[in-house]
Amino acid sequence: MAKLQTSLDQILTTFTVFEPGQVLTEAQLNAAVDYLDDQERLTRVELLGVGIFCGLRASRSGDQITLTRGVGVTTDGDLLSAASDTVYESLKPYGAGAPEYAPFMNGELRIDAWELLPVGTTDALAVPFAQLGATTNRSWDDLAVVFLMESYLEHQDLCTGTTCDNLGLLSLHESKLILIPRSAVGPFKESLTTPAAAAKLLDYLVADRPSIVGITTSGGLNSAYRAACQAILGRLTTALPRLYPACQGFLGDVFTSDPSAQWLQTLRSVVARFESGKGIQYCYDFLKDLVETSNAFRDELAGLDAVCSPDLTAFPKHLLLGDVTGRATSDQDRTGRYPSPVVGDAGGRLDHARFLARKLGVLIDTFALPTGTTPIRITPSHGEDRSLEERAIPFYYDPDNAEAIHESWSHALQRRGMSAFNYSYNANRYAAQGGAASPFTAQIGRFSCFRIEGHLGSEVSAAVSAIQEEIKSKNLPFAVHAVLLEKDKTKIIRWRPPIYTDLHRVHRLLRYALSDQLDNAADYADSLNTQVVNAKIDGDQIGEDPAQLAGKKRIDVKHSASNAASKLRRSFDANRVDASWRDDVGETQKSAAELKQRLGPVAKTEFTTPFDTLIGSLGIQLLGPLDDIIKGRQDKADDHHVFATFVDKHPGLEHFAGVARGGTFVLAYDTFGFVVADFMLPYLCCEPDEPEAELPPSKPGLKIWPDWVIQKGITFSPALGAVIKGGIDKFWTETQPKIKEQIAAPKELFQMIKDIFPARELPAAITAAPRVKDGLLALALRELDIGNERVDLLRSRLLDPGRSAAERAHLRSELAAAEGDLSVSATKATAQVKSGNLDVTHGSDGFTAMQAVSDSARRLQDATAIKRLHQGLTQLHAGASKDLGGIVSTLLGKG
């Protein structure tokens, strides 16, 4: 039995060059033909490829089988083709007399096989397809089709009765369609190592996504990322050792041996370094880079059936066409398509795959976090919808490593010799070119994202300020925000000016309206004091000296009103921190109300005065509830600064190692104020920057009350004694000159009158009656009065708008000294009460003295004087009587 002839089992590399007069032999002639035939076949196999390239589908319809037009190449270089669709309708046994071909042999025996015959073929052994079952004892489902190239040699000897001429051998190459049992297709199926087959042996990796919902501490965030890193490391530990064994056939020029053991050792060391949690997001991003590179490597191999120098014995003389049922599973019994790497993009994809395999090693070898303080930099990049190679190189890859990361980052740029055009945080360290050398002086429209690096571990206010400065100076299309990882809102760091709303503006208007009311009340106190003095009110009618009362209350009103007004004109936050203005307003209302009440017997209120307006001010009542409303809103606004509630309000928060165009870059910081993580929202958030309105001048000059109202708001009825005395004085003034003109008494008459009326002494200088009986205590109180007058006088001079800046500075210095002396006098008076063990119950000398001390204490505004008085009273409090101790405690509480 002849064997099927193969051409490439022995490839000729030489042939004879013919010369003139040379005697030729059949071997020399055949060598030339065989050499050319081998080269033609090798061109098909090595440079074009093998397998079924198109068509050649066998399908049954009724009692006919149609072979569609198509072409394929066997590994012996045979071109099997059908120029047009061919219909077959009968079959005959195949085997007896057929050339021997290994796949048809089962040991020494042939497998059952049947040759298909086209329509119109006449053959005595032909059987119609209708008799398939009886002929083959099989159904169509149990059969497969082989497209066979029968190549064999046949003798052409021409013989007669007496001689036999040798005409040589005939090389026959005939294609046939053969049916075989599907159980026998094994030897006909090829076994070629392809990238696509290798891809099926590799794992497709998934990078775990850390869950940040419900996290309320930096420790919780670190735990979530550590768990994700460990899970990814576990998958890499399984996947990386499979890479080299599966792909060794086309990675021999990349790795001399399996690198996975060294890779995994380095990866375990890297992950262990981040157990403390610091910078854990960089570790996570690094592992995610490896996952993406590994998957990109596998994707390049998937579907890539290109084979470089296929095995010539894989299917040398046949193509397996599958069954005739048309089912999808029939492709499992069908010869594949194996183009040469030089055909189409197969070579480029294979080269890219080798680049990615090498890149895996470079990523692992060059990973290193920069040490020390790193500047914050923003780099244009692409998002995760683009391949890792198209994005900017992260800053955690050391550009100074022996294997330059920028040379191993982008296959497209590396092929064009443009690796220096890779964008990166470290672009300046590898002499970047093009836009990468100066990212924001070049167009950035093609970039959808921006990497932001160098901020982890920085103080949050400094980091936010640096990023905001970059946004403004580089005109970048995103915003920045910061959130606290803990729930304690008191730990929130105010990294930008507060946000003001219309409620804040209403609050400000109310405060300034109230401060204007206080100014008007102070002016009214001056006017009222003048009216009281001019009215000559009899003190008996009110039980005290009206002028002294009005003067004292005038000072009290102006002092407390001035303090309150200046505080109310401060910013909202300053008033929120220091609400002492309320006490000052209360003191002003109290002093004004007391003055009106005690002048009541001789005063008549013609209409509402500045005192009345201040006492019943609606603004004071509204400021409290408005404060509460603003505080409630501020608490809600603070939710934007707490991680857990921020995630709840913005569930799209995601770590991105940067921010998308038009998005918000979110920094997460710990209770110490250091940035420990970053995230991104794909939209702008959260509040607009709206500064507090510019403060008006310290004295806006708003006069609520006209002068006439201030001067005529209260009228006074002078006491009867004053009226009589005024009449007598007037009578005496008019009559005395006339009496002097008419009386010309002689000296004797004058002497006589003098003798009758004894001479009287002139009255001594009028002195203030002592308020207390104790002489030493009276002296102490007089010293207090002098100190009070000195302070009041200096403070009133400071209110004079006509004074120069130098004069004001001098007066402030004198006022501070005067307040210091007054605090000493107040301490002395208190000491006198204590040392004399004086009674301090109501109406006693001790009580009067402590009232004077309290009055002096209210005058103090200088911090040093207040502190000195506080220290003195604290020392006197020890060992004081119960009643005196209570009064001193009250004074200390006021201080």
Side-chain angles (χ1 to χ4, degrees):
M1 181 185 299
K3 286 189 177 182
L4 212 63
Q5 181 186 4
T6 56
S7 299
L8 296 180
D9 52 353
Q10 290 183 346
I11 300 174
L12 290 180
T13 59
T14 63
F15 62 90
T16 300
V17 178
F18 307 137
E19 295 181 358
Q22 177 182 345
V23 177
L24 297 178
T25 66
E26 78 282 359
Q28 291 172 323
L29 293 172
N30 287 332
V33 173
D34 289 343
Y35 176 83
L36 294 175
D37 183 58
D38 287 348
Q39 293 301 309
E40 182 180 3
R41 289 175 178 272
L42 287 173
T43 299
R44 293 174 185 161
V45 173
E46 302 285 356
L47 295 183
L48 297 179
V50 296
I52 300 174
F53 286 94
C54 65
L56 301 183
R57 290 279 180 180
S59 60
R60 182 177 69 88
S61 176
D63 291 332
Q64 290 184 330
I65 291 178
T66 301
L67 177 66
T68 63
R69 60 187 297 182
V71 65
V73 177
T74 70
T75 56
D76 196 44
D78 291 309
L79 189 65
L80 286 171
S81 65
S84 60
D85 292 353
T86 305
V87 179
Y88 298 81
E89 63 179 4
S90 59
L91 74 163
K92 68 177 181 178
Y94 178 78
E100 182 179 326
Y101 183 47
F104 284 104
M105 305 304 297
N106 184 6
E108 295 295 328
L109 302 177
R110 281 181 175 271
I111 64 170
D112 292 334
W114 299 266
E115 179 182 350
L116 299 182
L117 302 176
V119 172
T121 301
T122 301
D123 193 306
L125 299 178
V127 176
F129 287 161
Q131 301 177 19
L132 175 74
T135 303
T136 66
N137 200 28
R138 289 177 172 83
S139 69
W140 288 111
D141 291 341
D142 297 329
L143 298 170
V145 181
V146 174
F147 201 1
L148 177 68
M149 176 62 77
E150 274 193 352
S151 297
Y152 59 93
L153 297 177
E154 184 178 86
H155 288 280
Q156 298 188 92
D157 295 346
L158 179 60
C159 297
T160 65
T162 58
T163 63
C164 188
D165 295 330
N166 186 358
L167 300 180
L169 296 174
L170 183 63
S171 180
L172 297 177
H173 301 275
E174 183 180 2
S175 59
K176 295 182 177 182
L177 221 58
I178 309 298
L179 280 180
I180 63 171
R182 291 191 64 184
S183 58
V185 299
F188 290 88
K189 297 178 72 171
E190 74 277 14
S191 178
L192 295 177
T193 301
T194 65
K200 295 177 181 179
L201 301 176
L202 302 179
D203 294 335
Y204 186 84
L205 302 178
V206 175
D208 287 55
R209 182 186 183 210
S211 175
I212 59 175
V213 177
I215 289 178
T216 58
T217 64
S218 55
L221 185 68
N222 292 334
S223 296
Y225 271 92
R226 281 200 303 272
C229 288
Q230 289 292 346
I232 297 173
L233 177 61
R235 295 189 180 96
L236 289 170
T237 300
T238 301
L240 292 180
R242 296 177 179 174
L243 188 145
Y244 186 77
C247 307
Q248 184 176 1
F250 51 87
L251 291 182
D253 58 342
V254 178
F255 305 111
T256 57
S257 60
D258 189 348
S260 61
Q262 181 60 45
W263 287 355
L264 292 176
Q265 180 181 350
T266 302
L267 286 179
R268 293 187 187 101
S269 174
V270 167
V271 174
R273 291 207 308 267
F274 290 92
E275 281 301 311
S276 64
K278 186 177 180 180
I280 188 69
Q281 283 188 328
Y282 289 140
C283 179
Y284 174 76
D285 290 341
F286 163 59
L287 295 175
K288 197 167 69 168
D289 290 347
L290 296 181
V291 167
E292 291 195 51
T293 304
S294 176
N295 288 340
F297 171 76
R298 184 182 183 276
D299 289 343
E300 283 297 336
L301 302 182
L304 182 58
D305 288 317
V307 177
C308 181
S309 298
D311 181 4
L312 299 181
T313 64
F315 46 96
K317 306 305 288 183
H318 75 274
L319 297 174
L320 185 60
L321 304 186
D323 61 34
V324 295
T325 62
R327 295 175 302 193
T329 54
S330 65
D331 283 350
Q332 297 175 359
D333 296 332
R334 181 176 172 84
T335 300
R337 176 178 179 271
Y338 306 99
S340 166
V342 302
V343 175
D345 66 343
R349 289 181 60 188
L350 199 56
D351 184 55
H352 191 187
R354 285 194 291 266
F355 178 89
L356 291 171
R358 184 186 304 109
K359 181 177 180 178
L360 273 173
V362 175
L363 294 182
I364 294 172
D365 290 340
T366 59
F367 177 79
L369 281 183
T371 57
T373 303
T374 55
I376 296 175
R377 291 180 189 159
I378 302 173
T379 309
S381 183
H382 291 291
E384 293 188 4
D385 58 326
R386 304 278 281 271
S387 71
L388 183 65
E389 295 178 86
E390 296 180 80
R391 304 176 218 162
I393 304 173
F395 92 134
Y396 45 74
Y397 293 116
D398 183 5
D400 300 325
N401 193 279
E403 296 183 275
I405 182 64
H406 70 286
E407 295 284 355
S408 302
W409 186 257
S410 168
H411 180 249
L413 291 177
Q414 188 263 352
R415 285 179 60 196
R416 300 197 296 269
M418 298 176 63
S419 294
F421 285 75
N422 277 300
Y423 281 69
S424 173
Y425 177 97
N426 295 311
N428 61 321
R429 293 170 62 182
Y430 55 76
Q433 299 179 36
S438 181
F440 295 113
T441 59
Q443 281 294 328
I444 60 172
R446 65 190 178 97
F447 296 105
S448 61
C449 299
F450 299 88
R451 285 193 70 88
I452 304 176
E453 297 161 308
H455 53 278
L456 289 190
S458 301
E459 197 277 321
V460 64
S461 297
V464 170
S465 297
I467 295 172
Q468 285 180 328
E469 179 58 32
E470 284 289 284
I471 292 172
K472 292 178 181 178
S473 63
K474 303 296 192 307
N475 191 30
L476 302 181
F478 62 89
V480 62
H481 187 69
V483 292
L484 172 68
L485 270 171
E486 314 294 328
K487 278 189 171 182
D488 187 358
K489 293 183 181 180
T490 63
K491 303 293 185 180
I492 293 175
I493 295 176
R494 305 295 176 184
W495 45 271
R496 66 179 179 184
I499 305 303
Y500 289 92
T501 65
D502 287 341
L503 286 181
H504 291 81
R505 294 179 177 85
V506 172
H507 192 279
R508 174 178 166 274
L509 288 174
L510 289 175
R511 285 187 282 113
Y512 272 78
L514 180 55
S515 69
D516 289 333
Q517 287 182 335
L518 290 162
D519 288 341
N520 281 275
D523 293 342
Y524 185 66
D526 286 334
S527 176
L528 192 59
N529 179 67
T530 301
Q531 285 182 268
V532 170
V533 172
N534 293 337
K536 300 178 181 180
I537 301 171
D538 187 351
D540 292 339
Q541 289 185 277
I542 62 173
E544 57 186 309
D545 183 353
Q548 185 178 3
L549 171 65
K552 183 178 182 303
K553 292 302 180 182
R554 165 185 166 274
I555 294 173
D556 289 346
V557 168
K558 290 179 72 69
H559 173 72
S560 55
S562 175
N563 286 345
S566 63
K567 294 174 182 177
L568 285 166
R569 291 192 179 101
R570 296 176 303 183
S571 68
F572 175 81
D573 283 344
N575 274 276
R576 187 174 183 180
V577 173
D578 176 17
S580 60
W581 62 269
R582 294 182 180 276
D583 294 334
D584 294 326
V585 172
E587 288 294 328
T588 307
Q589 291 174 312
K590 178 182 177 184
S591 298
E594 286 180 347
L595 179 57
K596 282 202 65 178
Q597 186 266 334
R598 288 157 72 173
L599 289 174
V602 296
K604 177 184 178 184
T605 302
E606 302 293 345
F607 40 77
T608 302
T609 68
F611 277 6
D612 301 307
T613 303
L614 178 65
I615 293 169
S617 173
L618 180 62
I620 302 174
Q621 302 173 34
L622 292 178
L623 281 173
L626 191 56
D627 271 336
D628 294 338
I629 294 173
I630 292 175
K631 184 178 183 301
R633 289 197 174 184
Q634 184 63 56
D635 286 341
K636 290 184 178 180
D638 282 346
D639 288 344
H640 274 90
H641 298 273
V642 177
F643 185 78
T645 50
F646 188 83
V647 173
D648 186 56
K649 292 178 181 292
H650 302 281
L653 195 68
E654 187 82 21
H655 171 63
F656 205 63
V659 59
R661 179 184 291 270
T664 303
F665 187 59
V666 181
L667 300 177
Y669 60 94
D670 59 18
T671 54
F672 301 103
F674 292 103
V675 179
V676 296
D678 63 65
F679 300 90
M680 182 273 292
L681 286 173
Y683 49 84
L684 287 177
C685 168
C686 295
E687 311 99 342
D689 286 329
E690 192 172 354
E692 186 175 15
E694 183 179 348
L695 297 179
S698 57
K699 288 192 173 182
L702 176 62
K703 293 191 66 174
I704 299 176
W705 305 94
D707 292 339
W708 185 87
V709 173
I710 292 177
Q711 296 167 4
K712 304 296 183 179
I714 293 180
T715 57
F716 294 96
S717 302
L720 180 60
V723 174
I724 295 173
K725 185 177 184 299
I728 293 173
D729 288 343
K730 180 179 180 184
F731 172 79
W732 179 250
T733 301
E734 295 174 352
T735 306
Q736 187 179 26
K738 297 178 181 179
I739 294 174
K740 286 183 179 180
E741 291 176 1
Q742 296 177 7
I743 297 176
K747 183 178 181 181
E748 291 81 3
L749 179 59
F750 179 76
Q751 183 65 42
M752 180 181 66
I753 295 173
K754 182 180 179 182
D755 292 339
I756 295 172
F757 299 97
R760 292 184 178 181
E761 297 181 357
L762 292 175
I766 299 175
T767 58
R771 288 178 286 174
V772 295
K773 297 176 182 178
D774 185 283
L776 292 176
L777 185 57
L779 290 174
L781 296 184
R782 186 172 299 171
E783 184 179 340
L784 269 182
D785 288 339
I786 293 171
N788 291 338
E789 292 179 8
R790 182 184 174 197
V791 168
D792 292 342
L793 180 59
L794 290 171
R795 192 165 286 143
S796 64
R797 288 183 179 180
L798 268 174
L799 296 175
D800 184 358
R803 295 190 181 276
S804 65
E807 289 175 328
R808 289 180 178 277
H810 179 69
L811 285 172
R812 290 191 189 96
S813 176
E814 286 194 356
L815 179 59
E819 288 192 28
D821 294 340
L822 184 59
S823 68
V824 173
S825 299
T827 304
K828 289 181 179 179
T830 306
Q832 188 65 36
V833 174
K834 178 181 179 183
S835 63
N837 197 23
L838 298 181
D839 180 18
V840 292
T841 58
H842 191 275
S844 65
D845 283 357
F847 180 80
T848 300
M850 294 312 297
Q851 270 191 323
V853 170
S854 176
D855 180 58
S856 298
R858 283 197 298 269
R859 282 178 165 80
L860 299 181
Q861 296 182 12
D862 181 70
T864 303
I866 294 172
K867 183 178 180 181
R868 181 181 297 173
L869 177 61
H870 193 279
Q871 291 173 343
L873 292 179
T874 301
Q875 293 175 357
L876 292 172
H877 184 271
S881 65
K882 180 179 179 182
D883 291 338
L884 178 60
I887 294 174
V888 172
S889 295
T890 302
L891 290 175
L892 288 173
K894 290 181 179 180

